Amino acid sequence: MVWGITAITFIATAAILLALFYALAPGEGGMATRLSRLINPAKPVQEDSFAAKQKERMRSSLASIGKIVPGDSKQTPRSQLMMVRAGYRNPEAIMTIRGLKLLMPIALVGLVFFTGLYRVNPFFIVLMAAVLGYLIPEMWLLWRVSARQKSLRRALPDGLDLLVICVEAGLGLDQAFMKVAEELRIAHPQLS
């Protein structure tokens, strides 16, 4: 019994020491690096190069597929406005959504045929898969717009309070805006 308690205590102590060594050891993903990013936010956070390359490759391929689809001239300003409201200001973002609207119905209809779900009601299930595939990117975009608006609504009181404090402290309005943007960079990046 005493040997068991001693062994468990030794293993727990060794695990705690290893965790502390790993957390405090110099390295790219260590705690010290993450804390230095919080202390000095002016240095941009570098994204993993492989993940960034894959995202960019996916974005460019979806945008090239989206260029195939002819755009409706009445729908383009509305789509562009929705993309800006969602936080995507890149001109290729509209083409990416168009590419998704083309590929998602094909993927969902393929999934319906692959799983054998079409046997229940071939016409209705395939039609619903195609319609749902077309609407999923639009629903996702609406969700992104509402999420961004919600985060901006949450950040606005903090920004206004900080703006009032800066102006009352004697800063000019342009300097106060710069200070608010600098201070809110970590807590509320959307508003910053």
Side-chain angles (χ1 to χ4, degrees):
M1 182 72 176
V2 173
W3 287 103
I5 294 174
T6 306
I8 291 173
T9 305
F10 177 77
I11 292 172
T13 305
I16 290 172
L17 287 176
L18 283 174
L20 284 174
F21 178 75
Y22 177 74
L24 299 176
E28 288 187 37
M31 186 184 304
T33 306
R34 291 191 305 267
L35 286 175
S36 69
R37 281 190 220 144
L38 287 175
I39 293 169
N40 187 10
K43 191 168 110 176
V45 177
Q46 296 292 327
E47 193 174 345
D48 188 20
S49 61
F50 179 74
K53 288 178 185 177
Q54 293 302 320
K55 280 182 184 179
E56 185 58 37
R57 187 175 294 151
M58 180 64 80
R59 231 179 268 136
S60 65
S61 63
L62 283 174
S64 64
I65 291 172
K67 289 177 184 175
I68 296 171
V69 179
D72 187 15
S73 61
K74 283 196 278 184
Q75 206 59 357
T76 302
R78 181 187 174 276
S79 299
Q80 192 170 14
L81 179 65
M82 293 298 287
M83 294 302 280
V84 167
R85 284 181 180 169
Y88 301 108
R89 300 184 188 282
N90 191 354
E92 284 189 348
I94 294 175
M95 296 300 158
T96 304
I97 288 292
R98 282 186 189 166
L100 277 173
K101 282 185 177 183
L102 180 68
L103 287 180
M104 285 297 287
I106 294 170
L108 284 182
V109 168
L111 183 68
V112 163
F113 280 113
F114 180 71
T115 59
L117 206 64
Y118 69 95
R119 293 182 191 132
V120 175
N121 189 345
F123 180 73
F124 183 71
I125 297 293
V126 171
L127 180 68
M128 287 306 296
V131 168
L132 189 64
Y134 183 77
L135 292 178
I136 283 176
E138 191 73 26
M139 290 187 299
W140 176 81
L141 186 61
L142 290 173
W143 173 77
R144 289 290 300 171
V145 167
S146 69
R148 185 165 184 259
Q149 286 175 348
K150 189 182 296 184
S151 84
L152 286 173
R153 274 191 214 108
R154 287 184 184 151
L156 194 59
D158 293 339
L160 289 175
D161 287 344
L162 191 56
L163 185 66
V164 167
I165 290 170
C166 289
V167 169
E168 285 179 352
L171 290 178
L173 195 57
D174 57 343
Q175 292 172 338
F177 277 126
M178 294 290 287
K179 187 66 174 173
V180 167
E182 180 184 331
E183 292 294 325
L184 293 180
R185 187 177 304 154
I186 294 173
H188 303 292
Q190 296 286 339
L191 184 64
S192 176

